[in-house]
Amino acid sequence: MIDHLDESLKGKATASLQDIIGNDPEAAKEWSYFSLAVETIQNAGLHQEVAAARATWKTELETLTKHTDAHTAVLRTVPATETTGAKTVSIARESRVRTIYRYSLRAAAVMLIITSGTAFYKYLSVSSGALYDRYYSGYDLSTSRGANANDAIADAYNAKDWNTVENIGDTARVSRTNQTDFLAGMACLERKKYDKAINHFEQIIAINSHSGTNYYQDEAEFYLAISWLAHQKINEAMPLLEKIRGDKDHKYHGAVEKMSFFDLRLTQYKENK
């Protein structure tokens, strides 16, 4: 499983273990928790906050050390017998050690509070719906795909007339294409009709699989995953997002790479409890 994780982080996968994960629910669950642990360690936000707290503590500690050293030096200049002077220096050193120890404990407590508080807040705040709101962005037909000037559904889509786009998608028979299904799916997504959106996107993937084409394939996969997030079903979204993340040639690879898989896996863990 560790070898599989190493390959996954490189954008590849170990086929034999991938089959086990796909066919064994217990193995899949264990893999999910293992991945969550790795994402937790790699989580940049927590790392930065702890690093900032550590830097503050280090600055305070250096300042304190300099101050204590200076104080000890002054004590050494005070006239005294050899025994008295030794005792004075010893007391100063013990005082410095105790002070540094107190500062170390305080710094450790601060870092623990920051880490625990951030993790607790994140655990409470993440959800499929929140991730949908964070990662959803509309689809611009005019710059992404050529729209036929006489295409009614394209005209309606560019005008953001979601009702008309959805109706055309519902009534299209002979004129039904992957573009028709995709635009209708996006209109349903905009209108929060997630079940219908999912049906349209899955139709595109099924047609491409049957015919060996890839027209609107990347778009359908990405927005299908987004639709599953909106529908509060992250277990269905994760395989698609993992697939896109591992495919550098996928049109939405960059968008998925920017997603926090720590948040995604934490949400998956919460919803599977």
Side-chain angles (χ1 to χ4, degrees), residues 69-80 85-86 88-90 92-93 96:
D69 286 341
H71 181 63
T72 303
V74 170
L75 288 175
R76 283 174 172 165
T77 63
V78 176
T88 303
V89 172
S90 177
R93 286 176 177 173
R96 180 175 63 177

Side-chain angles (χ1 to χ4, degrees), residues 22 34 89 109 117-118 143 149 151 157 168 185 191 208 231 255 269:
F34 189 35
V89 172
T118 304
T143 59
D151 193 338
Y157 185 87
I168 294 174
R191 302 186 73 189
N208 284 337
H231 204 27
Y269 169 76

Side-chain angles (χ1 to χ4, degrees), residues 88-206:
T88 303
V89 172
S90 177
I91 291 171
R93 286 176 177 173
E94 289 177 4
S95 175
R96 180 175 63 177
V97 169
R98 285 196 298 270
T99 305
I100 291 174
Y101 180 68
R102 286 199 302 272
Y103 268 78
S104 298
L105 288 179
R106 188 175 74 176
V110 169
M111 286 189 285
L112 179 62
I113 291 171
I114 290 174
T115 304
S116 301
T118 304
F120 183 66
Y121 171 77
K122 184 176 286 291
Y123 182 82
L124 291 179
S125 62
V126 296
S127 66
S128 293
L131 293 173
Y132 164 76
D133 291 336
R134 186 192 306 178
Y135 296 125
Y136 173 74
S137 60
Y139 180 84
D140 190 348
L141 177 64
S142 61
T143 59
S144 301
R145 296 277 186 177
N148 190 319
N150 298 317
D151 193 338
I153 193 170
D155 291 340
Y157 185 87
N158 284 329
K160 300 186 185 300
D161 184 357
W162 310 128
N163 184 56
T164 298
V165 174
E166 182 183 356
N167 289 337
I168 294 174
D170 288 341
T171 58
R173 293 294 181 268
V174 177
S175 60
R176 184 175 187 176
T177 65
N178 281 5
Q179 184 184 68
T180 302
D181 268 305
F182 179 74
L183 297 183
M186 290 302 300
C188 293
L189 197 52
E190 291 282 354
R191 302 186 73 189
K192 303 186 185 306
K193 296 183 177 182
Y194 306 128
D195 283 325
K196 289 189 68 174
I198 288 168
N199 288 336
H200 281 294
F201 298 140
E202 286 184 335
Q203 174 71 12
I204 295 169
I205 295 172

